[in-house]
Amino acid sequence: MPGFEIIGKEEKSAVNRLFEEGKIFFAHGFDNKRKHFHVREFETELKSVFAQRMSDSLCVSSGTAAIKIALKALNIRPGDEVITQSFNFIATVEAIVDTGAKLILTGIDDTLNMDPRSLSNLISKKTKAIVPVHMLGVPANMPSIKQISREYSIPIIEDACEAIGAKVGDTFVGGLGDFGIYSFDFGKMITTGEGGAIFSKSKKLGKIARMYHDHGHKNLEGIPRGKDTAGVIGFNYRMTEFSGAFGKEQLKKFPRILEESKKRFIALKKNINHEEIKFRHIRIEDQPNYDTFVAVIENSSLRKKVIDTLNRTSFGTKNLPDAFNWHCAYFWKHVDKNIRTKEVKEAYKKLIKCVAIPILISRSISEYKNLAKEINACKR
Ligand SMILES: Cc1ncc(COP(=O)(O)O)c(C=O)c1O
């Protein structure tokens, strides 16, 4: 969450420099008039920080576009099935539905992400992609999901939009599947206002994704853009130079964002001590990005008191429950009137017990310690 909190003079000068550098706001061409290709530089820097093992890194206009592009690169089309999870953001489901593929939703495990057992049960001959989503900064059980993907030879698109900075073992999320997806919208760990990135494992598919996001352009070296040829039927999902220049500055601040978020997350974890309040499960091998702390509270009257406390102290809740309808498939009858499957209903029952506390670096560590005290004092 905190990227937007520390926007400052660095981002402002980066954007201003674009005016001094020749006012080229487009990521392609104008080679003789520009000093930088900021979007391309941002891609290289993202790859070196987060996805060294992947073969390509591509910046695009949003996380939603990034998912759509990955699905297109895999040639997902009507008649195919794509599996994602019931705790999600509507964007992921929209991108799937937009390809014409059938949406299949798994249940969730105690990490609140894709339940590998449910995934196994839902795979069919038509399954063409698996989309685990690392919701609210915590990795899904990737080792088990990857094992299933290998067993059935089904590619993984890892939606890491909400989890930039989280790790599975020593690998950042986004670098574990066939494609990894980041969002840089205004609520994310690094923001460019709007924006997204795709990491591709396969050089070949990365090339298709790159062409698709830019009207099919092959961007052949030495050939003027107007004389270039198209490799695929594409679309315009390009990132602007404003976002590229802005993103490079945010990326420099990322270690600080992560470290400061971690201190506040740990302050909550150490200081919430209430026999009726449990915490969301995080696998021992994994590391969250510390952007949200999720408490699990069975008793509805106690839960309400905790939510009231969070609202009174202006922390608020993050998505659970304040934007529950946008993050739980149970509410998405506009997508599929039969969406309330057994898996979706079970996920709803788990999520209704959750209260998500945003980690903000504009709030001090002692404010988080005091918040823990206030939560501990809540009674049914
Ligand atoms: C899990 C998840 N996937 C996809 C997206 C879409 O990203 P964007 O807002 O950049 O389109 C979001 C954004 O909130 C998200 O949380």
Side-chain angles (χ1 to χ4, degrees):
M1 193 157 189
F4 77 89
E5 293 184 281
I6 52 164
I7 294 171
K9 57 180 185 333
E10 298 79 7
E11 290 84 349
K12 190 173 174 186
S13 343
V15 171
N16 282 340
R17 275 199 304 276
L18 283 177
F19 289 83
E20 289 145 25
E21 284 169 6
K23 300 185 199 152
I24 306 298
F25 306 133
F26 190 52
H28 303 260
F30 299 93
D31 295 31
N32 302 330
K33 292 199 171 143
R34 65 200 300 156
K35 292 207 173 70
H36 284 276
F37 283 88
H38 291 285
V39 173
R40 301 288 88 86
E41 289 166 19
F42 186 34
E43 284 169 353
T44 306
E45 290 173 18
L46 284 167
K47 183 171 170 337
S48 81
V49 175
F50 295 113
Q52 285 177 17
R53 292 182 212 162
M54 301 295 263
S55 65
D56 196 28
S57 161
L58 169 69
C59 280
V60 298
S61 52
S62 71
T64 313
I67 301 165
K68 170 86 181 288
I69 294 164
L71 291 162
K72 281 287 187 182
L74 289 170
N75 196 25
I76 304 294
R77 47 191 168 167
D80 295 338
E81 291 181 359
V82 175
I83 305 184
T84 187
Q85 62 195 55
S86 304
F87 181 33
N88 213 314
F89 178 56
I90 190 73
T92 310
V93 160
E94 286 167 336
I96 294 168
V97 171
D98 209 40
T99 64
K102 185 168 183 213
L103 171 73
I104 307 287
L105 294 160
T106 70
I108 55 174
D109 62 13
D110 288 346
T111 69
L112 304 181
N113 292 319
M114 181 174 278
D115 181 348
R117 278 174 308 177
S118 173
L119 170 64
S120 268
N121 292 337
L122 292 168
I123 285 186
S124 80
K125 287 206 171 84
K126 293 182 182 170
T127 311
K128 292 289 155 48
I130 302 168
V131 189
V133 189
H134 310 298
M135 290 297 285
L136 294 175
V138 171
N141 182 345
M142 287 306 289
S144 300
I145 294 168
K146 282 186 78 162
Q147 199 182 320
I148 297 165
S149 135
R150 273 194 299 270
E151 195 180 322
Y152 293 93
S153 299
I154 302 171
I156 294 178
I157 300 171
E158 204 194 343
D159 179 343
C161 287
E162 295 194 4
I164 301 175
K167 279 182 168 176
V168 173
D170 63 358
T171 307
F172 280 112
V173 294
L176 295 145
D178 296 273
F179 287 98
I181 308 293
Y182 282 6
S183 162
F184 307 123
D185 75 22
F186 207 57
K188 299 301 186 281
M189 287 291 266
I190 296 173
T191 185
T192 57
E194 296 279 8
I198 311 174
F199 302 121
S200 316
K201 188 162 141 196
S202 137
K203 243 188 187 160
K204 190 175 158 211
L205 294 180
K207 211 167 157 187
I208 298 175
R210 200 166 271 280
M211 289 190 287
Y212 182 75
H213 102 293
D214 182 24
H215 298 304
H217 266 282
K218 286 185 179 166
N219 280 308
L220 296 169
E221 222 171 295
I223 300 204
R225 212 168 143 79
K227 302 277 180 234
D228 196 19
T229 40
V232 296
I233 300 174
F235 215 80
N236 175 3
Y237 289 122
R238 294 183 298 249
M239 178 180 266
T240 72
E241 288 291 276
F242 289 112
S243 300
F246 198 101
K248 283 182 355 189
E249 297 305 320
Q250 283 266 300
L251 186 57
K252 285 184 204 152
K253 296 180 179 182
F254 183 69
R256 180 178 147 215
I257 294 174
L258 196 64
E259 194 186 312
E260 292 300 321
S261 302
K262 182 174 180 179
K263 287 182 197 159
R264 286 152 181 79
F265 184 101
I266 303 276
L268 273 181
K269 191 170 176 201
K270 275 197 176 153
N271 291 287
I272 297 180
N273 186 3
H274 190 300
E275 63 177 9
E276 288 196 87
I277 299 179
K278 309 266 178 296
F279 305 149
R280 173 188 194 177
H281 178 63
I282 300 172
R283 289 173 357 105
I284 190 98
E285 307 86 341
D286 297 347
Q287 204 178 290
N289 72 355
Y290 307 104
D291 129 293
T292 313
F293 187 90
V294 178
V296 182
I297 310 172
E298 287 279 337
N299 182 272
S300 61
S301 135
L302 176 64
R303 201 184 315 127
K304 185 175 177 317
K305 299 266 171 56
V306 172
I307 293 168
D308 289 346
T309 302
L310 286 162
N311 289 333
R312 177 173 48 75
T313 51
S314 302
F315 282 95
T317 59
K318 186 174 169 188
N319 303 344
L320 299 175
D322 80 354
F324 194 21
N325 294 19
W326 289 96
H327 294 86
C328 178
Y330 187 82
F331 299 101
W332 302 340
K333 282 201 168 162
H334 69 293
V335 174
D336 176 354
K337 64 178 181 356
N338 298 317
I339 203 144
R340 289 185 182 171
T341 57
K342 168 173 76 67
E343 290 80 7
V344 170
K345 282 188 199 154
E346 277 167 16
Y348 168 82
K349 279 192 207 149
K350 276 194 174 154
L351 293 169
I352 197 115
K353 295 174 190 160
C354 296
V355 179
I357 306 171
I359 302 294
L360 298 161
I361 60 180
S362 53
R363 306 293 293 261
S364 67
I365 297 168
S366 46
E367 280 183 277
Y368 276 97
K369 286 185 182 162
N370 285 338
L371 175 64
K373 272 191 205 153
E374 295 226 30
I375 289 174
N376 291 340
C378 289
K379 302 245 173 346
R380 290 176 180 222

